[in-house]
Amino acid sequence: MLFAKPSITEEPQSIRVANTKGDNPLIWPLLTVLQASNQSWKIHHLATELQTQGLIHQLDENPGNDLFKRNFLLMNALFELQEILLPKQWLQVKAMEIQIFRLVPSNVNLLIMQDTSLREYYLDWNNYDTSENVVRELLEAFWSNYKSYIGLNINLMNKGNALRVFELDESATARDIRKQWRRLALKWHPDRPDGDAARFREVCEAWQSLRDIA
């Protein structure tokens, strides 16, 4: 994601919002849904599926705003997941045709370039809402729902144990933690070929302890 160059006196709003959000928790349930089906999905069908699972609730009192925010969160998670899956798999992200392909197309770089503007729009949290508190509260609610969805232990690990799960030490930077979180979550996700549900839950629990500093 590209941000404007910060001024000397004030950090840009886009950076402040990005720093509060952590990972969009819809990434992993979306992976489950998409991996479990060979069909292509429409964005509103994915929204309905996640709503059925209790992972999406009303986001705004205004119906039009609610629809926009729901779409934004899903598209944000899909573009994040597209990047995570490469270079081994290709996630096609079109509003009416969303599907994971095991073979990456030979023209993948061209496809990525064609979607650059759309991708940058949905990866910039300023386009969701200008209030970082709203973004923080919204994603905290999602993570609470997701804990129940995958059976997370409500008691957070201490930082030392969490870093050990992430195979990191105290010198790990915020970037190191985020990078390792995604690598391990993708490796152990139960819908991956060599996935392990217990290890995935452990990694998620570690992330819960570390994400405020990442």
Side-chain angles (χ1 to χ4, degrees):
M1 188 189 309
L2 298 177
F3 298 111
K5 183 178 180 180
S7 66
I8 295 176
T9 58
E10 183 178 0
E11 186 180 44
Q13 175 75 9
S14 57
I15 294 180
R16 294 203 305 275
V17 172
N19 286 341
T20 67
K21 75 177 183 63
D23 253 26
N24 186 332
L26 293 182
I27 291 172
W28 308 110
L30 278 171
L31 178 60
T32 295
V33 172
L34 295 170
Q35 291 277 43
S37 172
N38 291 324
Q39 72 182 55
S40 64
W41 289 77
K42 295 177 173 57
I43 192 72
H44 56 282
H45 289 164
L46 283 174
T48 299
E49 178 65 24
L50 294 180
Q51 185 174 10
T52 299
Q53 296 178 12
L55 294 173
I56 293 185
H57 301 286
Q58 183 176 354
L59 303 176
D60 197 291
E61 293 182 358
N62 180 290
N65 291 346
D66 181 67
L67 180 62
F68 170 80
K69 291 180 177 182
R70 188 184 306 255
N71 180 79
F72 186 95
L73 285 169
L74 284 168
M75 293 296 287
N76 174 278
L78 286 166
F79 279 122
E80 291 275 14
L81 183 57
Q82 183 186 69
E83 181 179 345
I84 291 169
L85 291 175
L86 282 172
K88 294 186 176 180
Q89 290 181 299
W90 170 245
L91 172 56
Q92 177 175 275
V93 182
K94 306 290 183 184
M96 305 302 284
E97 194 174 357
I98 299 164
Q99 187 174 2
I100 292 177
F101 294 92
R102 296 192 179 279
L103 296 179
V104 177
S106 59
N107 64 336
V108 65
N109 289 332
L110 176 61
L111 295 174
I112 290 173
M113 288 180 60
Q114 289 174 343
D115 289 338
T116 295
S117 296
L118 193 65
R119 181 181 297 101
E120 289 181 351
Y121 176 85
Y122 281 113
L123 292 179
D124 184 348
W125 283 91
N126 267 344
N127 296 320
Y128 173 85
D129 196 300
T130 57
S131 169
E132 59 189 278
N133 289 332
V134 171
V135 174
R136 185 193 298 273
E137 291 170 6
L138 173 70
L139 295 182
E140 286 292 343
F142 271 137
W143 272 109
S144 295
N145 290 331
Y146 195 49
K147 287 178 187 179
S148 300
Y149 174 71
I150 63 175
L152 282 182
N153 186 342
I154 61 173
N155 298 314
L156 293 182
M157 291 183 186
N158 63 49
K159 180 183 176 183
N161 286 339
L163 285 171
R164 279 192 287 276
V165 170
F166 272 29
E167 302 166 12
L168 298 171
D169 58 31
E170 292 286 344
S171 66
T173 64
R175 182 180 180 184
D176 293 334
I177 292 171
R178 289 194 301 271
K179 182 177 180 181
Q180 192 72 336
W181 149 243
R182 290 189 167 195
R183 187 185 74 81
L184 293 174
L186 184 62
K187 177 180 179 180
W188 297 119
H189 193 282
D191 292 311
R192 302 292 289 173
D194 298 317
D196 184 304
R199 294 294 297 274
F200 180 71
R201 282 194 297 272
E202 184 180 38
V203 169
C204 287
E205 288 170 6
W207 171 245
Q208 286 296 296
S209 296
L210 297 172
R211 66 192 183 94
D212 284 342
I213 64 174

